[in-house]
Amino acid sequence: MKELTMQELVNYCKQYGFIFQGSEIYGGLANTWDYGPLGSRLKNAIKDSWRKRFIQEKDNAYEIDADIFMHPKVWEASGHVSSFSDPLIDCKYCHTRHRVDNLIESYDDKARADSMTEEEMMKYIKDNKVPCPNCGKSDYTDLRQFNLMFETQRGVVKDSKSIVYLRPENAQGEYVNFLNVQRTMRAKLPFSIGQIGKAFRNEITPGNFTFRTIEFEQMEYQTFCKEGNDTEIYNYYKEYAKKYFTDLGLPENKLRYHDHEKLAHYAKEACDIDYKFNFGWGEINGTHNRTNYDLSRHQEYSGESLMYLDPETNEKFIPYIIESTVGCDRLVLAILDNAYTKETLDNGEEREVLKLIPYLAPYKCSILPLVKKYHTEKSKEIYQKLSKKFMVSYDETGSIGKRYRRQDAIGTPFCITIDNETIENNTVTIRDRDTMEQITLKVDEIEKYIEERINF
Ligand code: GAP
């Protein structure tokens, strides 16, 4: 098996209906991507898997669906208005704009720009004469901070009071609803609030397919706890997130922890999980011990008490928050990157296989009538019965070999062939995507056979 390039993955995703360039017929809009029929099914399965692991299987965990628009003061309290920015410089020759930390790290992959001050980064650029990736010269403007929040106006009057932001993260929706959830669910600490939703960032250097985009989806999860339990919960979620990824099929050797050296001023501990993409290591998850910073700030800015009353001790305090966040689109990309393989068979033929765990496969099985003329009726009958249980595809065009290849390429774990044996004896052959082995089953046994193999 050879290494896959990003362009091959982009082409594959387009060819099979996973991901298309955004607004393609207009020449595309840079760094926007649309999920096609199979991509949205995969993405939905990933969201379902997250809900299962982080909400359903957890005691005391609640999902919410907060609005994208929030009161502008939320973003003042959170610190996004004053400091959610990227350090940028422009090349004086070709006028291209760059993130200084990216310039440094792509010049020397051992350099850690995240632990440098602004002055140190500029000194590094000057001392090393770091070249502009576009024109090769090394003469830049001074560093400026560029806020990443998208802002828009609401209402008819265009003044500063009517500015609203498109949320740059989901987390704040979970923080401002902390007491609503706690009271209505009669929750005791520790308890968690999770949500899946869109976030928007005016990234200056988006790229690498869907890895860094301006619109993306996050699966964020906040555990509210008492100070003193925080580090134990933080360590627990570091491991829990990694186990979630390996359960989804990402191999251990393509995952690594990246503990932050330089912490945000409110953070006590922070760690990313990186996945080894074909372009290098990239963050897919973050675990953050945010202390009681967020709720204290919202209490201060809103003037509303966000204290928790401990029913056992009668103590009142502002809880600590442990955040576990996953970039949904990055996880889709990692899973596609890992699952897409090209194999050379013994007969020299090349086989494209999307080795997804069956739970994530867009179609759980495909119904293939061997000869359209004779086997369609029975095939349709089986197709309709199974469709009530899971997503099933139906394919009657081309040779059986070609149809197997097509299903392999989109990750369908089981191909069910309907032939004369089905009509005479009520049996089918089921072919396994990965081993290509076939077994015979009674029609009535198919559902159970598949159900047992698509669990998560
Ligand atoms: N609430 C915390 C937070 O937003 P973050 O590390 O900035 O933390 C969380 O983002 C996750 O969102 C990241 O781990 C990443 O997977 C995803 N993410 C962040 N920026 C992104 C972008 N521009 N495009 C796609 N995914 C992104």
Side-chain angles (χ1 to χ4, degrees):
M1 263 171 356
K2 65 180 173 55
E3 284 278 310
L4 178 76
T5 66
M6 191 52 104
Q7 195 50 49
E8 279 175 307
L9 190 60
V10 173
N11 296 346
Y12 161 80
C13 286
K14 179 176 176 182
Q15 186 186 348
Y16 289 103
F18 280 90
I19 302 174
F20 307 122
Q21 188 185 11
S23 319
E24 192 180 6
I25 60 167
Y26 287 95
L29 176 68
N31 301 107
T32 63
W33 301 95
D34 297 337
Y35 288 86
L38 300 197
S40 35
R41 215 161 277 153
L42 171 62
K43 193 171 174 186
N44 283 334
I46 288 175
K47 291 186 206 175
D48 289 344
S49 73
W50 182 88
R51 278 196 180 100
K52 188 157 188 293
R53 283 289 188 272
F54 284 83
I55 307 285
Q56 185 181 324
E57 293 176 6
K58 286 267 153 227
D59 295 337
N60 235 1
Y62 308 95
E63 185 178 357
I64 61 164
D65 183 0
D67 236 46
I68 284 172
F69 290 114
M70 300 184 78
H71 195 289
K73 271 189 150 182
V74 166
W75 306 111
E76 287 174 35
S78 67
H80 283 81
V81 171
S82 59
S83 50
F84 189 55
S85 51
D86 276 344
L88 301 183
I89 49 176
D90 293 344
C91 171
K92 282 189 184 165
Y93 280 89
C94 69
H95 307 292
T96 52
R97 184 159 288 173
H98 308 277
R99 259 177 68 170
V100 186
D101 48 346
N102 286 354
L103 261 188
I104 294 174
E105 285 174 10
S106 34
Y107 172 74
D108 175 3
D109 59 10
K110 290 194 184 59
R112 292 312 270 270
D114 68 350
S115 57
M116 295 181 191
T117 62
E118 285 184 12
E119 289 72 31
E120 284 165 348
M121 286 196 280
M122 287 314 283
K123 185 170 181 313
Y124 185 97
I125 296 269
K126 280 201 183 96
D127 290 353
N128 294 282
K129 295 197 170 48
V130 175
C132 165
N134 189 48
C135 69
K137 301 265 179 8
S138 184
D139 192 4
Y140 299 99
T141 59
D142 290 339
L143 181 150
R144 275 161 309 128
Q145 291 291 343
F146 177 84
N147 196 291
L148 292 174
M149 279 200 295
F150 274 108
E151 56 178 57
T152 186
Q153 283 92 31
R154 84 176 280 199
V156 283
V157 187
K158 195 176 169 198
D159 64 21
S160 62
K161 284 201 196 78
S162 63
I163 283 181
V164 283
Y165 299 99
L166 275 74
R167 68 175 174 211
E169 63 169 11
N170 279 210
Q172 302 302 326
E174 294 154 41
Y175 303 154
V176 301
N177 281 298
F178 155 67
L179 278 185
N180 284 335
V181 174
Q182 190 263 321
R183 285 180 185 144
T184 51
M185 298 293 106
R186 292 176 294 150
K188 287 191 193 142
L189 295 188
F191 74 92
S192 310
I193 306 180
Q195 109 164 311
I196 300 178
K198 293 269 187 182
F200 304 83
R201 295 183 190 176
N202 200 354
E203 302 271 7
I204 200 73
T205 52
N208 281 327
F209 200 12
T210 55
F211 181 79
R212 192 180 302 284
T213 48
I214 52 177
E215 173 181 339
F216 55 97
E217 221 159 346
Q218 293 181 317
M219 306 191 285
E220 297 215 295
Y221 193 77
Q222 320 293 330
T223 301
F224 300 84
C225 65
K226 195 171 177 174
E227 182 181 359
N229 299 338
D230 52 316
T231 295
E232 189 187 333
I233 294 175
Y234 169 81
N235 287 329
Y236 171 84
Y237 277 106
K238 258 173 81 166
E239 275 181 36
Y240 195 78
K242 190 152 174 229
K243 169 85 170 48
Y244 169 59
F245 295 139
T246 52
D247 286 352
L248 286 175
L250 298 181
E252 282 269 353
N253 65 355
K254 285 189 180 175
L255 294 169
R256 73 172 187 199
Y257 287 120
H258 169 203
D259 286 302
H260 287 209
E261 285 162 26
K262 196 172 115 189
L263 292 169
H265 58 282
Y266 53 82
K268 189 168 147 189
E269 298 150 294
C271 177
D272 300 335
I273 295 178
D274 296 340
Y275 170 78
K276 194 166 194 251
F277 289 93
N278 50 44
F279 59 83
W281 291 96
E283 172 193 338
I284 54 174
N285 152 269
T287 308
H288 312 126
N289 183 343
R290 305 181 61 118
T291 69
N292 62 4
Y293 174 83
D294 302 280
L295 293 182
S296 305
R297 293 277 289 192
H298 284 307
Q299 174 167 287
E300 183 190 337
Y301 278 68
S302 67
E304 293 282 325
S305 167
L306 293 179
M307 296 268 192
Y308 172 79
L309 173 67
D310 190 320
E312 267 133 46
T313 62
N314 265 343
E315 239 183 308
K316 268 185 144 189
F317 57 90
I318 296 188
Y320 266 44
I321 294 175
I322 306 300
E323 174 176 61
S324 175
T325 171
V326 181
C328 186
D329 306 85
R330 286 191 187 176
L331 185 53
V332 174
L333 186 63
I335 281 170
L336 283 168
D337 172 283
N338 181 62
Y340 179 62
T341 41
K342 281 184 184 171
E343 295 175 349
T344 308
L345 301 176
D346 291 344
N347 64 4
E349 206 186 309
E350 193 169 73
R351 179 172 95 113
E352 282 179 300
V353 199
L354 192 68
K355 295 195 168 176
L356 296 172
I357 60 163
Y359 177 86
L360 293 180
Y363 295 110
K364 305 306 173 211
C365 65
S366 183
I367 304 293
L368 313 175
L370 187 64
V371 182
K372 194 172 161 186
K373 198 164 149 196
Y374 303 119
H375 306 126
T376 298
E377 200 184 324
K378 187 74 182 164
S379 300
K380 286 263 156 90
E381 191 189 300
I382 296 173
Y383 168 77
Q384 269 150 16
K385 187 165 170 255
L386 292 177
S387 299
K388 293 196 190 309
K389 290 286 166 184
F390 22 73
M391 288 302 307
V392 183
S393 81
Y394 186 91
D395 192 357
E396 57 183 16
T397 47
S399 72
I400 196 78
K402 280 215 175 95
R403 284 184 268 163
Y404 283 155
R405 295 285 170 273
R406 203 149 51 214
Q407 295 305 322
D408 290 344
I410 61 170
T412 310
F414 306 107
C415 281
I416 302 173
T417 308
I418 314 300
D419 56 17
N420 288 344
E421 290 291 313
T422 321
I423 291 162
E424 282 156 26
N425 302 323
N426 220 24
T427 59
V428 294
T429 49
I430 297 200
R431 172 185 171 276
D432 182 283
R433 176 197 68 202
D434 299 336
T435 62
M436 294 187 281
E437 274 165 18
Q438 305 195 7
I439 57 158
T440 306
L441 271 190
K442 286 265 180 220
V443 169
D444 290 348
E445 294 167 341
I446 306 172
E447 193 180 304
K448 184 162 175 273
Y449 179 88
I450 294 175
E451 245 163 20
E452 282 171 0
R453 285 160 180 80
I454 57 173
N455 285 331
F456 179 68

